[in-house]
Amino acid sequence: MEGTRLIPRTPSAYAYPLLIKQLLHTPLLYAPDEEIVYRELVRHTYRDFYARINRLASALTSLGVRPGDTVAVLDWDSHRYLECFYAVPMLGAVLHTVNIRLSPEQILFTMNHAEDTVVLAHQDFLPLLEGIASKLETVQTFILLLDDSERPPTSLPLTAEYEEMLKRADDSFDFPDFEEDTQATVFYTTGTTGDPKGVYFSHRQLVLHTLAAGMMLGCFREPRFQSGDVYMPITPMFHVHAWGIPYVATLLGVKQVYPGLYEAGKLLKLIEKEKVTFSHCVPTLLHMILSDPMASKVDLNGWKVNIGGSALSKGLARAAMERGVKLIAGYGMSETCPILTAALLKPFMLDWDIERRLDVQRKAGFPIPLVDLRVVDETGDPLPRDGSSAGEIVVRSPWLTQGYFKEPQKSEELWRGGWLHTGDIATIDQEGYVQITDRLKDVIKSGGEWISSLEIESLMSQHEAVSEVAVVGINDERWGERPIAVVVPKLGSKARASEEDLRAFLDKFVNEGLISKWSVPDRIYLVNEIPKTSVGKMDKKEVKKQFEKK
Amino acid sequence: MEGTRLIPRTPSAYAYPLLIKQLLHTPLLYAPDEEIVYRELVRHTYRDFYARINRLASALTSLGVRPGDTVAVLDWDSHRYLECFYAVPMLGAVLHTVNIRLSPEQILFTMNHAEDTVVLAHQDFLPLLEGIASKLETVQTFILLLDDSERPPTSLPLTAEYEEMLKRADDSFDFPDFEEDTQATVFYTTGTTGDPKGVYFSHRQLVLHTLAAGMMLGCFREPRFQSGDVYMPITPMFHVHAWGIPYVATLLGVKQVYPGLYEAGKLLKLIEKEKVTFSHCVPTLLHMILSDPMASKVDLNGWKVNIGGSALSKGLARAAMERGVKLIAGYGMSETCPILTAALLKPFMLDWDIERRLDVQRKAGFPIPLVDLRVVDETGDPLPRDGSSAGEIVVRSPWLTQGYFKEPQKSEELWRGGWLHTGDIATIDQEGYVQITDRLKDVIKSGGEWISSLEIESLMSQHEAVSEVAVVGINDERWGERPIAVVVPKLGSKARASEEDLRAFLDKFVNEGLISKWSVPDRIYLVNEIPKTSVGKMDKKEVKKQFEKK
């Protein structure tokens, strides 16, 4: 801006770049002896962790990795993955967290598109890589991540095994300074159509996301994530850096527990044994954990869980709260690094009764520090904060992806008008809480009205015989679209969940004026399971496809 | 660095600069109805506060203030000062927080040196400004900050009164984007010699300091500053932006109480009436508050106080803790924005007994997020973290002043070798806690040994008849320097504080091996008061001068 005065620089003064390595200063002094745990297999300290980061950077460098190169990881959640979160970007390279839930063809696409040169792969992914190895265009080196004592046979030309490689490497690496806008990570999301799209984040973006998310989770009551907690992610590390929380956890110097492949029983055992107090996951996984037979035997009282990825239904929220689980809903997406909002209670709400708190805590929440979030109409003008005017969420913050990797046109579309378009429909209430009413692509347009699939799902989830429910719009000649519901009944529930029962259940809400008669689904189907996407969200596109024909 | 890959930019994507205005997104949604209080005079909401920031920016602009101009404020701690903390930098101008404790000649020097064009002055400073007005070289406009209902008579050409000016101004201002390295503030520190020196901070620096300090105070136990607290500063807003905490408090959306001129009785009344839970001050002020006759009538249990500026003596810390005050010592200086460290307890220390906790909590503490702090020997090499190897603290963080305003040579000296030299001598223990042993300029060099004046002061402060004590080095022909102590006896104490008593008290510590016989002061003087600097710290230079002659 014309006339503003930039601060005068002193030649010798250090121009401090925001780099991932700078996040380690505090924990290495504050918590050098705190533990990082991997399943029942590995247990070491932050001091060891730092030495291993140095060894990993030394080893990768001697394998030829240079600043600007891309290093791919295929692993379940592990201490090794955490080491890659730091060592790879810290040496100036780019970390590609491969989405292992994609199809082999899609994984091949992402690895070629990202131009991976070195691949670190857990033994479970050797068969997958064997199948696509001949078509990998840029990979030169495969490194094995081994849990067992013996190497499985493989046709893949392995250069090294991770632990042996670290053992041989120098435990001191001179991590260089470079520009804070240097790319640190890349990963791929599945769009509604076409190939997966890559989003990417810089050192500056990850550092700022860590500080703002840390502040939101720690300084705003209630509940909170703080030093002294024990952290275990239940959002895969390949998926938006496990929401960036491993960076926050490390900065706080808390004990960290990495569970490998997610299995409800194993997760519950780790929660009990390692005294886990803070986790994060999508509703589906929370549902899976709470419905596991072992869940009733583990004390979950006080377990704090950050929920995101899709809407938290009232039924699931109540079930969790009745077990003493403290929920923090939040909102974000791959493109946004991801955290944008958190539904923490305000101090004066803390003594509200559970039902009233539930209504607040299931919302997307209010924007975390530095997030400039608006709900706008179709011309881009902000809508009133009245809790009922719904429009698209557009957003600005320092950690949003600058675009889709090598997709300039889609990037421009994402950022049209200088705001990142989330594709989510929401309202903001007078207390400042954002509530997502639908995905732009999931919203049901019926006879000129918008029907919120999320709202109907949330109401139906409160029926005691409903385990999971998806509401989607089906093409309709007369009305454009009409809603249908797909329901997974709860096993062992005494209540029945026939179409008539559920319809009667919904009619109650119609009579109370909560929803319009128009938004009650035309058909309610009982199914054994609802299709899921690669990150465990309900795949509404697939549901639509399946039931369009019926 | 060669070869690193910068993130690809999308033309339409918003390049988010770290600007002070961005700190307001969260509190305006989270706490629009929370209060900002000024003494018993003013009480308004965050919503009002934002409208007033807009009005202030509109008014200043119509008075001719342009980006790059410098606006000076002379005020006690007030809601108006907080409005200036935001409105002035947000319109692209520079806020000069005038150090009103300096002599009129020094204030004149700083206002000319900073090139102030507009001055906002509380009525108490009209006489001062009248005295220097004819020598102010750049000031064009004076605005009155009025507490009383009537304007005091003045010869100063006042352009407006603040409230009237705001009332007339537009409550909507389009705050522009500009580079995050734009200068936001300037203020002056008194050096040991010569004219005051100006230090300056950019928007980026203040935003990052806010996030890191907020995270440290909120996410690290224990105690903590968090949403729901009630904040009242007791470090003047002209002094390093009241340690930057008003920015943290506003981001958290907490109730804020600004007390005007500090008087112990008035502060205690505000603590009681407004239910203040978090403050910060130098030890001298805590001492003043706790020794006020009214202190015994106010419940201070649970009051959290961040202490910095100078060492917290064991005597004062114990007196505070016995009243239930929760102390958080910290360390920083004007040049460092200021916070570098905080002495929070680690989770495993929380159940230690009071004496053991006291030893930890009085230290400078461990570095807050992003602070790279080293204790180095004279060649610049880091010393072992053994709790005994003492050397100078050098530091890097994203919020350190880039230099002294218009003093390139002193700036280079401050930053020699790429590290900011604090001039403080410290050790780091095995738990990572920094402990200041002395100022480089205060350390007593006697017969080739270093004597820590802070250590002797802390021991003497534990004598029940000692209210305050300063230990300084006096020139000595034979030994270079020898320590002497200057003591203010405690009023009404039953114990005597003669030179012999205090000497016998110190001899006990010599016999216990805590200090060497060599470090016991040669003389102990009883005085009525110890000279203070403009910000309330003991003025050891002055003590030295007074007792050098004796």
Side-chain angles (χ1 to χ4, degrees), chain B residues 345-514:
Chain B
L345 291 171
K346 299 188 182 183
F348 67 87
M349 300 173 176
L350 292 175
D351 51 6
W352 284 4
D353 66 46
I354 189 166
E355 286 299 313
R356 205 163 161 212
R357 276 187 285 142
L358 217 53
D359 283 337
V360 174
Q361 291 189 282
R362 289 176 45 239
K363 296 188 176 181
F366 53 88
I368 75 168
L370 303 185
V371 170
D372 189 2
L373 181 150
R374 293 181 180 177
V375 166
V376 297
D377 65 19
E378 280 158 20
T379 65
D381 286 329
L383 287 165
R385 292 174 186 167
D386 56 10
S388 64
S389 302
E392 187 179 7
I393 297 177
V394 298
V395 70
R396 289 172 166 178
S397 93
W399 49 78
L400 311 181
T401 189
Q402 284 287 302
Y404 296 112
F405 195 47
K406 301 183 196 167
E407 299 268 18
Q409 203 176 326
K410 284 180 188 157
S411 302
E412 272 297 321
E413 200 181 313
L414 178 71
W415 273 103
R416 61 193 183 277
W419 290 84
L420 186 142
H421 289 254
T422 63
D424 285 312
I425 304 299
T427 59
I428 302 183
D429 66 21
Q430 283 166 344
E431 284 293 349
Y433 287 83
V434 176
Q435 175 149 30
I436 311 294
T437 57
D438 231 322
R439 285 288 299 167
L440 202 47
K441 65 182 169 57
D442 291 338
V443 78
I444 300 165
K445 290 152 208 117
S446 188
E449 296 284 322
W450 275 9
I451 296 172
S452 164
S453 61
L454 295 189
E455 189 177 16
I456 309 301
E457 284 165 9
S458 184
L459 292 175
M460 292 182 74
S461 76
Q462 296 181 55
H463 189 284
E464 55 178 322
V466 170
S467 176
E468 260 193 315
V469 52
V471 171
V472 300
I474 297 294
N475 288 335
D476 183 280
E477 276 192 22
R478 183 149 178 214
W479 303 112
E481 285 186 327
R482 284 299 300 151
I484 63 135
V486 179
V487 169
V488 180
K490 200 176 277 175
L491 286 177
S493 166
K494 280 180 208 154
R496 286 179 56 213
S498 70
E499 174 157 3
E500 302 82 68
D501 295 326
L502 292 169
R503 192 172 299 286
F505 186 71
L506 280 177
D507 280 345
K508 248 186 6 194
F509 297 112
V510 174
N511 294 338
E512 288 168 15
L514 261 177

Side-chain angles (χ1 to χ4, degrees), chain B residues 249-315:
Chain B
T250 305
L251 178 51
L252 293 181
V254 301
K255 175 174 163 184
Q256 304 184 48
V257 181
Y258 290 88
L261 172 66
Y262 299 157
E263 290 160 357
K266 198 174 73 175
L267 294 170
L268 283 160
K269 252 181 238 163
L270 283 171
I271 290 170
E272 185 169 48
K273 179 170 172 236
E274 303 294 345
K275 304 189 182 5
V276 172
T277 59
F278 180 79
S279 296
H280 48 78
C281 62
V282 292
T284 322
L285 260 158
L286 181 63
H287 177 256
M288 182 181 99
I289 292 170
L290 293 180
S291 3
D292 190 86
M294 209 190 130
S296 58
K297 293 176 205 121
V298 175
D299 180 12
L300 297 178
N301 194 35
W303 185 36
K304 297 172 278 191
V305 184
N306 186 197
I307 294 287
S310 42
L312 175 61
S313 72
K314 201 158 184 170

Side-chain angles (χ1 to χ4, degrees), chain B residues 127-149:
Chain B
L128 168 95
L129 287 171
E130 285 162 12
I132 62 173
S134 66
K135 293 181 216 145
L136 285 171
E137 294 160 7
T138 50
V139 175
Q140 291 155 4
T141 308
F142 292 95
I143 296 163
L144 175 64
L145 309 177
L146 190 65
D147 283 346
D148 302 338
S149 52

Side-chain angles (χ1 to χ4, degrees), chain A residues 10 16 224 226 370 402, chain B residues 10 16 224 226 370 402 412:
Chain A
T10 294
Y16 191 111
R224 280 180 314 201
Q226 60 205 11
L370 303 186
Q402 284 286 302
Chain B
T10 293
Y16 191 110
R224 279 178 315 201
Q226 60 204 11
L370 303 185
Q402 284 287 302
E412 272 297 321

Side-chain angles (χ1 to χ4, degrees), chain A residues 43 52 94 96 98 124 209 223 243 251 301 356 388 390 407 418 445 459 469 474 486 520 531:
Chain A
R43 184 177 291 273
R52 290 170 59 89
V94 177
H96 175 195
V98 179
D124 289 356
H209 183 270
W243 298 350
L251 178 51
N301 193 36
R356 207 165 159 207
S388 64
E407 299 268 18
K445 290 150 209 124
L459 292 174
V469 51
I474 297 294
V486 180
V520 174

Side-chain angles (χ1 to χ4, degrees), chain A residues 292-517:
Chain A
D292 191 86
M294 210 190 131
S296 59
K297 294 178 204 118
V298 175
D299 180 12
L300 296 177
N301 193 36
W303 184 36
K304 296 173 279 192
V305 183
N306 186 196
I307 294 287
S310 43
L312 175 61
S313 72
K314 200 158 183 171
L316 178 58
R318 193 184 289 121
M321 285 171 90
E322 280 165 1
R323 292 294 315 272
V325 177
K326 295 185 170 182
L327 297 173
I328 314 157
Y331 164 69
M333 50 200 284
S334 297
E335 286 82 348
T336 63
C337 198
I339 304 179
L340 294 175
T341 66
L344 297 162
L345 291 170
K346 298 187 183 184
F348 68 87
M349 300 172 176
L350 291 175
D351 51 7
W352 283 5
D353 66 46
I354 189 166
E355 286 300 314
R356 207 165 159 207
R357 276 186 285 142
L358 217 52
D359 283 337
V360 174
Q361 290 188 283
R362 289 175 45 238
K363 295 188 177 179
F366 53 87
I368 75 167
L370 303 186
V371 170
D372 189 2
L373 181 150
R374 293 181 182 176
V375 167
V376 296
D377 64 19
E378 278 157 23
T379 65
D381 286 329
L383 288 165
R385 293 176 185 165
D386 56 10
S388 64
S389 302
E392 187 180 7
I393 298 177
V394 298
V395 70
R396 290 173 166 177
S397 92
W399 49 78
L400 311 182
T401 189
Q402 284 286 302
Y404 296 112
F405 196 46
K406 301 185 198 167
E407 299 268 18
Q409 204 176 327
K410 285 180 188 159
S411 302
E412 272 297 321
E413 200 180 315
L414 179 71
W415 273 105
R416 61 194 183 276
W419 291 82
L420 185 142
H421 289 254
T422 62
D424 285 312
I425 305 298
T427 59
I428 303 184
D429 66 20
Q430 282 166 345
E431 285 293 349
Y433 287 82
V434 176
Q435 176 150 28
I436 311 293
T437 57
D438 231 321
R439 286 287 300 165
L440 201 47
K441 64 181 169 58
D442 292 339
V443 79
I444 301 164
K445 290 150 209 124
S446 188
E449 297 284 322
W450 276 9
I451 296 173
S452 165
S453 61
L454 295 189
E455 189 176 18
I456 310 301
E457 285 165 7
S458 182
L459 292 174
M460 293 182 75
S461 76
Q462 294 181 55
H463 189 284
E464 55 179 321
V466 170
S467 176
E468 260 191 316
V469 51
V471 173
V472 300
I474 297 294
N475 289 333
D476 183 279
E477 277 193 21
R478 181 150 179 212
W479 303 114
E481 286 185 326
R482 283 299 300 151
I484 62 134
V486 180
V487 169
V488 181
K490 200 176 276 173
L491 286 177
S493 168
K494 281 181 211 153
R496 286 180 56 214
S498 70
E499 174 156 4
E500 303 81 70
D501 295 328
L502 292 169
R503 193 172 299 285
F505 186 72
L506 280 176
D507 281 344
K508 249 187 5 200
F509 297 111
V510 173
N511 295 337
E512 288 168 14
L514 262 176
I515 49 170
S516 71
K517 183 131 196 79

